[in-house]
């Protein structure tokens, strides 16, 4: 289907657009090239009464086996602006986090190296306050621009976002699209030094994370107190536990891997079992980090 000069694909598979490679098709899928096309597509969804979903690089979502109704906007190839403006960096929602980290390093500013190995894009990362190695985006974020369902472009200061561990107030507004973000450039630092630090972070990741890339990273948030989610799961001997082709990684217990043709139902069943076992044994309610679509939006 063509809308204006935007192509809208019908019943298009979404699994290849996610790192887990799981999930059914989108009823309608569009890949807007710029903000104007985003507006046009959001307006179209409203006019037709279609539910609307956003997808970045698909590294923190579990898409239902039945797929998604309505219109999905895949933003992985759009909103790619990345430029320095004085003491700040402006990045579009689609900019991959490793690219943001490299760009800051090339400019000779530290503070972004922790993003090097995180396979997401800026939009979703702001929403979830992505982080690693004791740092998170909140440490460098100054403000964001979001498109509301009324199609207003609203500027919000980072202080107004209530950024916390893998959370922000934006999670309460899943129909707001993060369009752009502004970050403060950190300390001027020789590029070589920053690159070396990034390599160190990447090496630690490689040593801790499973080799199979078909995952969503950490499935559960670490509880606010006490041992990490991975420790709690490992302690119950759940490494290697399987439901169909969904398997708890033997290397990092907070990763669930797609070992072949895992389904969303299998992943959910494994997650529910883990939450139940951890609750029974430790009275800790593990909260998931990964987003379920469409469940979390309907
Ligand atoms: C191997 C691996 C390692 C990882 N390591 C880390 C880590 O160290 N730290 C960490 O924080 N995360 C980590 N993650 C998780 C993930 O990369 C981050 O959460 C990332 O920010 C998700 O970005 P994405 O573009 O892939 O989002 P997606 O998975 O595409 O989307 C996630 C959610 O955000 C919404 N969304 C997407 N784009 C927008 C937008 N522009 N506006 C509004 N909503 C939007 C989607 O609807 C969905 O609800 C890891 C994942 C993997 C696979």
């Amino acid at each position: 289907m063509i809308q204006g000069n935007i192509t809208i694909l019908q019943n298009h598979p979404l699994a290849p657009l996610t790192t887990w490679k799981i999930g059914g098709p989108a009823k309608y899928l569009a890949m807007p090239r710029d903000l104007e096309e985003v507006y046009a597509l959001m307006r179209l969804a409203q006019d037709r009464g279609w539910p609307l979903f956003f997808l970045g690089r698909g590294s923190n979502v579990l898409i239902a086996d039945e797929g998604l109704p309505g219109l999905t906007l895949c933003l992985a190839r759009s909103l790619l602006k990345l430029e320095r403006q004085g003491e700040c960096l402006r990045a579009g929602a689609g900019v991959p986090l490793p690219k943001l980290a490299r760009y800051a390093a090339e400019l000779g500013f530290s503070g972004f190296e922790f993003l090097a190995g995180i396979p997401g894009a800026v939009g979703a990362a702001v929403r979830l306050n992505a982080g690693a190695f004791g740092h998170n985006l909140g440490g460098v974020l100054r403000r964001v621009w979001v498109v509301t369902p009324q199609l207003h472009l609203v500027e919000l200061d980072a202080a107004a976002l209530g950024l916390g561990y893998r959370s922000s107030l934006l999670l309460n507004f899943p129909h707001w699209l993060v369009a752009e973000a502004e970050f403060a450039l950190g300390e001027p630092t020789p590029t070589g030094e920053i690159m070396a630090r990034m390599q160190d972070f990447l090496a630690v990741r490689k040593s801790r994370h499973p080799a199979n890339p078909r995952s969503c990273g950490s499935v559960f948030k670490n509880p606010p107190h006490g041992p990490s989610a991975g420790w709690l799961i490992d302690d119950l001997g759940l490494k290697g536990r399987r439901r169909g082709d969904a398997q708890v990684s033997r290397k990092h217990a907070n990763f669930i891997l797609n070992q072949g043709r895992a389904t969303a139902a299998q992943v959910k069943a494994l997650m529910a079992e883990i939450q139940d076992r951890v609750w029974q044994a430790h009275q800790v309610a593990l909260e998931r980090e990964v987003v379920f679509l469409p469940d979390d939006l309907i």
Side-chain angles (χ1 to χ4, degrees), residues 28 41-52 69-71:
Y28 300 108
L41 288 160
M42 285 174 79
R43 202 172 295 122
L44 176 73
Q46 281 175 10
D47 290 350
R48 303 270 172 104
W50 292 340
L52 183 65
L71 176 63

Side-chain angles (χ1 to χ4, degrees), residues 17 19-20 53-61 73 75 79 93-94 97 114 117-133 166 171 173-179 205 209-210 212-218 255 289 291-293 296-297:
L17 302 178
T19 49
W20 241 334
F53 301 94
F54 308 132
L55 192 62
R57 301 187 75 79
S59 63
N60 199 36
V61 282
L73 302 190
L75 302 160
L79 309 181
L97 299 171
F114 69 98
I118 306 182
V122 163
V126 164
R127 214 175 146 253
L128 201 71
N129 194 16
F133 302 107
R166 299 296 178 273
L171 292 177
F173 299 93
H175 300 290
W176 289 14
L177 178 135
V178 177
R205 282 180 171 275
H209 291 182
N212 181 351
R214 293 170 161 219
S215 80
C216 74
S218 293
F255 278 52
E289 182 170 324
V291 178
F292 287 175
L293 291 181
D296 289 351
L297 257 84

